[in-house]
Amino acid sequence: MNIIYKTIKTRNRHYVYDRNANRILSIDESDYNKLLEQEKKIDKEFDDNFIRKFQEKGFLLENQLEIIENPLTRYSEHILNHYKEQLILQVTQRCNLRCEYCVYSEKGEYHNRKHSNNDMSVELAEKAINMYLDTSNEAPDRVISFYGGEPLLKIELIKHCVEYVKKKSIEKKVRFAMTTNGTLLTMDIARFLAENNFEVLISLDGSKNEHNEYRKFANGKGSFDTIMNNLRAIRKELPDFFKTIQFNTVLNPKHNYENIKEYFQTDEIVADATLMHTLVEENDSSTNIDFRKEFTRSREYDHFLLLLHMLNHYSFESLNKFVKLKKIMISRKHEQLMTGGYIGKINHPSGPCMPGSRRIFVNVKGNLYPCEKVSENCEQERIGNIDIGLDLEKINNILNIGKLTEDECKKCWAFQYCNMCCNKAEKDNICLFFSSREARLSHCKLARKAAYNDLKEICILKEFGCEFKIEMFM
């Protein structure tokens, strides 16, 4: 029997995750041991009466998956012509900062991108906006984001784009967003952003000491005081807009994690703001990114407190900001299990989104990419040009990147929880996932470990009385 599943054991209970149905079943120890014994065998041998009790209820059925192909492939042309969700315009590659961990910075530890003096032209921006508005009529929401470099270096172009969109998109509203380092956020610019309901995300890496260590002007001076002065002025003159500003911090292994946590919890400017965070990027770094044990332990303890909160033993308000958004991620995993859904004969591991639909990134030269995270120097991930259009063949190749490891994917129990996006395998401006089975498979162990920990965590939360809105266990 070719049945694909994963046994899960906690301190008190036994479970099996059924890949085909995408469900977790609570089982007794005897059934667990029988399933564990056969788990790694392709042709599993079960007593008919044993397996029938599961299969009669639609679980632990024979594997039906025959072909690795993303179900969206047959609809990709229609989706790309009608369902673009977000346009990201790289209005400039210039920046007034030289952050050492930035993938663009020549002072940094990366070599896949560099700052340049290239700016986006008005003509190119209008072409990109026209393309987006013409191909987003079925999208539930329209968002245009401005990106850099530092986008506020091109504030006049941004103002032009906003007015142009207002004239072109009368029937359907367009939201505007921006990621900025905050150093050029004057009151005049802030008023413009507020009047046009911009969603603003400012990069801020903690208190003055942590922030200034890496986020410096080209002359070497730290940027913290400039940002804070701008924010205080905005808080005074535009308090409602100030409340909408969000922050993103890059956690660096050389920083004191506890100090950064305390800053974002207690500082008068940022304490009430929404905070997102990322870990310093490892791809294309010339040095190893090594997080200290103290950093890892602190992060794990914060996650433990989040789990206590989900069991009603710790208040949400007392959680630090770095883990509050994780609750949404856990809820999404819950939702996946709640909805279930059989794999069928044709499917593809999760991981890649539809390139050019969820996001489309237009750089200063008019080249098109799946998002702002991929390397602009990676030819494999350049999915078109504003003058030529999208390359459907390339897009479908990215969408179906699992074909490279088809045999392994068909057998993998974590098929529906694969997290391997193409940008995770960029090296020297090449996406290794396209050319090397070994590169893709090297990520599989970590992906399976993450999936197992997520599912086990759900089981433990359930055992301790966590109440989910919809029952997901059988």
Side-chain angles (χ1 to χ4, degrees):
M1 293 181 179
N2 182 14
I3 304 171
I4 299 174
Y5 58 83
K6 180 63 179 175
T7 53
I8 301 171
K9 182 179 180 181
T10 68
R11 185 169 183 173
N12 301 315
R13 301 283 294 274
H14 302 82
Y15 305 89
V16 61
Y17 167 71
D18 179 357
R19 184 191 83 166
N20 186 54
N22 193 28
R23 290 277 184 162
I24 296 175
L25 313 178
S26 179
I27 56 178
D28 62 33
E29 185 174 5
S30 174
D31 288 349
Y32 172 85
N33 289 331
K34 290 177 182 178
L35 291 168
L36 180 63
E37 182 182 356
Q38 300 289 325
E39 186 169 328
K40 294 184 179 180
K41 297 180 181 179
I42 296 176
D43 295 319
K44 299 173 175 62
E45 299 175 1
F46 291 115
D47 177 84
D48 288 344
N49 291 329
F50 170 76
I51 202 66
R52 188 181 300 123
K53 67 181 179 181
F54 296 104
Q55 294 184 341
E56 286 177 347
K57 296 179 180 179
F59 301 110
L60 298 183
L61 300 173
E62 289 269 2
N63 177 40
Q64 300 295 314
L65 185 61
E66 297 177 0
I67 300 172
I68 297 297
E69 180 180 291
N70 196 305
L72 294 178
T73 306
R74 65 187 70 181
Y75 309 112
S76 58
E77 186 171 5
H78 177 87
I79 292 170
L80 293 167
N81 286 331
H82 299 278
Y83 206 92
K84 286 188 176 69
E85 296 182 45
Q86 182 178 9
L87 170 67
I88 305 173
L89 295 177
Q90 184 189 54
V91 293
T92 183
Q93 289 182 338
R94 292 183 291 131
C95 188
N96 59 334
L97 297 188
R98 292 297 181 268
C99 306
E100 292 188 17
Y101 55 71
C102 177
V103 294
Y104 287 96
S105 181
E106 59 268 24
K107 289 189 177 182
E109 299 170 341
Y110 299 88
H111 46 84
N112 62 335
R113 295 172 171 176
K114 295 295 179 186
H115 285 301
S116 77
N117 291 320
N118 295 324
D119 294 330
M120 179 172 282
S121 68
V122 171
E123 179 186 15
L124 175 55
E126 290 181 355
K127 281 184 179 180
I129 291 169
N130 290 340
M131 175 271 296
Y132 174 65
L133 296 179
D134 289 343
T135 56
S136 59
N137 58 299
E138 293 182 7
D141 200 10
R142 282 174 167 172
V143 181
I144 296 180
S145 299
F146 299 96
Y147 199 78
E150 170 48 47
L152 289 181
L153 289 169
K154 292 292 290 181
I155 184 60
E156 294 306 318
L157 175 61
I158 293 171
K159 289 179 179 179
H160 176 85
C161 290
V162 170
E163 291 306 310
Y164 186 76
V165 169
K166 288 180 178 179
K167 292 176 182 177
K168 295 281 292 186
S169 183
I170 299 173
E171 296 180 358
K172 196 169 185 179
K173 183 179 178 182
V174 176
R175 290 168 33 226
F176 299 106
M178 177 187 295
T179 300
T180 173
N181 61 39
T183 60
L184 302 175
L185 197 53
T186 63
M187 280 306 306
D188 285 343
I189 291 176
R191 289 189 187 95
F192 164 77
L193 299 178
E195 288 167 3
N196 291 282
N197 299 312
F198 264 72
E199 299 166 15
V200 176
L201 180 67
I202 295 178
S203 301
L204 184 68
D205 288 355
S207 66
K208 186 172 181 176
N209 287 339
E210 281 87 15
H211 180 91
N212 281 348
E213 185 173 352
Y214 286 94
R215 300 188 64 82
K216 302 173 183 178
F217 289 104
N219 63 7
K221 181 182 177 181
S223 59
F224 182 85
D225 288 341
T226 302
I227 300 168
M228 288 299 109
N229 290 336
N230 291 341
L231 289 172
R232 289 189 184 96
I234 294 170
R235 182 177 62 174
K236 180 180 179 180
E237 299 293 330
L238 299 168
D240 291 336
F241 174 65
F242 174 80
K243 291 176 183 177
T244 69
I245 294 175
Q246 300 182 355
F247 296 90
N248 181 71
T249 186
V250 177
L251 295 178
N252 191 299
K254 298 178 183 179
H255 286 164
N256 187 306
Y257 177 67
E258 293 297 323
N259 288 349
I260 296 174
K261 276 199 313 180
E262 182 179 0
Y263 171 76
F264 282 108
Q265 290 290 107
T266 61
D267 182 79
E268 59 166 344
I269 296 292
V270 300
D272 295 327
T274 298
L275 174 67
M276 290 172 275
H277 73 281
T278 54
L279 299 181
V280 65
E281 186 58 66
E282 294 187 67
N283 290 348
D284 275 297
S285 172
S286 58
T287 60
N288 292 326
I289 306 299
D290 185 22
F291 287 94
R292 295 177 296 181
K293 289 183 179 179
E294 293 83 359
F295 176 91
T296 303
R297 287 171 183 165
S298 293
R299 297 264 290 170
E300 289 174 347
Y301 181 68
D302 286 339
H303 187 75
F304 171 69
L305 294 179
L306 172 62
L307 300 183
L308 287 182
H309 158 69
M310 297 185 72
L311 297 172
N312 297 318
H313 294 305
Y314 198 81
S315 72
F316 185 75
E317 292 73 24
S318 298
L319 293 172
N320 85 71
K321 291 184 176 184
F322 292 122
V323 297
K324 284 184 176 179
L325 289 178
K326 280 190 175 182
K327 187 175 181 181
I328 298 174
M329 297 171 64
I330 295 175
S331 297
R332 287 175 180 167
K333 289 289 190 303
H334 294 169
E335 187 177 358
Q336 280 185 272
L337 290 167
M338 285 187 265
T339 54
Y342 291 91
I343 285 181
K345 291 184 178 180
I346 303 174
N347 215 318
H348 190 280
S350 59
C353 60
M354 169 64 77
S357 173
R358 183 179 296 176
R359 296 179 184 178
I360 185 161
F361 177 68
V362 185
N363 80 349
V364 293
K365 297 179 181 180
N367 292 325
L368 310 178
Y369 300 87
C371 70
E372 75 282 7
K373 295 180 181 180
V374 304
S375 170
E376 294 164 56
N377 295 322
C378 181
E379 177 61 32
Q380 297 152 306
E381 294 181 298
R382 187 180 301 150
I383 59 174
N385 181 275
I386 198 68
D387 293 319
I388 300 172
L390 291 168
D391 187 328
L392 189 60
E393 182 178 355
K394 261 189 180 179
I395 288 171
N396 284 335
N397 284 340
I398 295 174
L399 191 61
N400 290 283
I401 201 165
K403 284 183 176 293
L404 189 64
T405 52
E406 186 160 4
D407 291 340
E408 289 81 3
C409 290
K410 287 178 183 178
K411 303 169 189 174
C412 181
W413 68 265
F415 184 90
Q416 302 207 50
Y417 293 88
C418 180
N419 60 5
M420 283 193 276
C421 177
C422 295
N423 77 318
K424 291 190 176 183
E426 288 178 4
K427 189 69 175 177
D428 298 327
N429 298 315
I430 295 174
C431 180
L432 299 178
F433 280 176
F434 290 99
S435 57
S436 170
R437 292 181 72 258
E438 290 71 25
R440 182 168 166 81
L441 292 174
S442 69
H443 286 256
C444 291
K445 185 176 180 179
L446 290 175
R448 285 193 295 268
K449 181 179 179 180
Y452 178 82
N453 289 339
D454 287 342
L455 296 179
K456 185 173 181 179
E457 187 173 86
I458 290 171
C459 294
I460 294 171
L461 284 169
K462 183 69 176 180
E463 289 175 20
F464 281 89
C466 183
E467 295 182 0
F468 302 111
K469 292 182 179 179
I470 301 176
E471 185 64 46
M472 69 184 68
F473 288 81
M474 305 304 296

